[in-house]
Amino acid sequence: MKAHDGMYIRGEWRPAAGTGTIAVVNPADEQIIAEVPAGTAQDVDAAVRAARDAFPGWAATPPAERAARIAALRDAMVARKDEIAETVTAELGTPIGLSQVVHANLPISVAGSFAELAGTYAFEEKAGNSTVLLEPVGVVGAITPWNYPLHQIVAKVAPALAAGCTVVLKPAEDTPLVAQLFAECVHEAGLPAGVFNLVTGLGAVAGQALAAHEGVDLVSFTGSTAVGRQIGATAGAAVKRVALELGGKSANVILPSADLAKAVKVGVANVMSNSGQTCSAWTRMLVHTDQYDEAVELARAAVAKYAAGDPHDPASRLGPVVSAKQRERVRGYIDQGVAAGARLVAGGSEAPHPAGYYVAPTVFADVTPEMTIAQEEIFGPVISMLRYADEDDALRIANGTVYGLAGAVWAGDEAEAVAFARRMETGQVDINGGRFNPLAPFGGYKQSGVGRELGTHGLAEYLQTKSLQF
Ligand code: NAP
Ligand code: MG
């Protein structure tokens, strides 16, 4: 697609208030592929006003009609799914096959789920002698990251629209092109002017202005814990609703009765997918001490299949990370792991390619729970393998971080895995591999966040209640 040089506000592309621009870089070859405007507080203000003006009309639109518009938005994305995949590959560097299956198809399925929910959800319920009305919260400020750029947009915008809210979106500076493509889809779907507005820009400028704007009723943020903490504080001071989807350091717990080869192979694939840039990735693999050496060999063999290379080459199974800054961050963690005494069994911090922000697929063995690489989110293709002595030890290690976003348990028998999963302090657990479910609530325990996305729980975040007594 061709980049827009304006903001999408009140149903049209209009010039930005300032003259600053953001260069969009292809992380596979470090070339600048486009420029988009860097929005200011003035652009944010114009967008919030548009969303405020559109709110009463959209909130009063019957749910069936809102559902029809969201279905049209889904259809517009379906018609352009190849373009979505190409755009994400160009600005994020994901291998094209993964872009098609995940970056294009997943948001289409999530938009479809909210089109259906908008039409079927009970926006009114009875409680004794009361009727409880579930009403839209108002104007939503959505701030999204670059790792699943369209999914994270749709996971906020679709339920907000289904609830009757209007939206201002500030997407990540690294991936603004797919956000512009999404705005084109909104336009094609015939949503009323001002119901959805897009301001591209830097987090510290446009993001901050949006989070602090008094015309915003709810801030929904996905990204780092550091920024999330700041946004939570700003929202708290203004007594404004906030949803935070933050980092993770999820455990892949392989119990002794499990199919070890399968658990290791799927665990490696889970981390390598999207170059490890997945907040819910199972970056800590926990293996019983008796099976540890075998698991390390299995992981070494599995990771060797992740050839890093050109995202358009079907043989590439691993793309670059998103930016030079992220590559340096990831390499820094790998060096820290080595310095702390962990054993590199694959990869390392040396660049596997002369150009592009590539990081070698990396596996660390002999990782102990207190090491930085076992505690902090690395956000790269790096796995830490830890040993446990018994189930209680495994649980202590699994629960022993500030995070609690996701996880996995493998066992010979499903009930055994479920019993362990019940004791985990985390928002989502895949049992023996699981299957992704776009209706399952997604979100964090502990410092992984506040609130849930997807399905009815995700929709409820955008609703507030009013009780009428009879
Ligand atoms: P980030 O800074 O938290 O970015 C997330 C979003 O917040 C972006 O749109 C960003 O804009 C915006 N933002 C940044 N500072 C802001 C502020 N002061 N006020 C309002 N909005 C602000 O994350 P990052 O720098 O891209 O990545 C850093 C680390 O965060 C990663 O290495 C990873 O550990 C974690 N992360 C987690 C997730 C997740 O899904 N949970 C996603 C991405 C990153 P800009 O794009 O302009 O910075
Ligand atoms: Mg940032």
Side-chain angles (χ1 to χ4, degrees), residues 95-244:
I96 189 70
L98 186 72
S99 285
Q100 284 157 347
V101 173
V102 177
H103 294 298
N105 287 349
L106 173 60
I108 287 170
S109 118
V110 170
S113 76
F114 283 111
E116 187 170 336
L117 270 177
T120 55
Y121 195 74
F123 289 98
E124 223 180 280
E125 48 188 52
K126 289 273 179 208
N129 62 316
S130 301
T131 296
V132 181
L133 309 180
L134 284 80
E135 300 185 331
V137 168
V139 172
V140 174
I143 300 174
T144 54
W146 42 263
N147 55 330
Y148 288 88
L150 185 58
H151 168 66
Q152 281 143 339
I153 289 170
V154 171
K156 299 188 189 308
V157 176
L161 298 182
C165 294
T166 58
V167 181
V168 177
L169 168 68
K170 202 303 280 179
E173 66 183 270
D174 292 318
T175 53
L177 299 180
V178 75
Q180 290 191 338
L181 206 167
F182 177 76
E184 288 182 1
C185 293
V186 166
H187 196 80
E188 286 160 20
L191 274 112
V195 166
F196 170 83
N197 307 273
L198 170 69
V199 176
T200 52
L202 301 180
V205 181
Q208 176 114 26
L210 182 58
H213 200 292
E214 59 182 23
V216 169
D217 301 297
L218 182 161
V219 182
S220 179
F221 169 83
T222 299
S224 64
T225 301
V227 175
R229 210 186 294 277
Q230 215 177 311
I231 286 176
T234 304
V239 196
K240 184 183 287 190
R241 305 242 308 225
V242 66
L244 304 172

Side-chain angles (χ1 to χ4, degrees), residues 253-260 263 288 291 388 391 409-417 432:
V253 181
I254 306 175
L255 295 175
S257 61
D259 177 342
L260 183 67
H288 190 275
Q291 297 174 324
Y388 65 80
E391 251 188 53
V409 186
W410 300 81
D413 141 26
E414 210 167 270
E416 186 191 350
N432 283 340

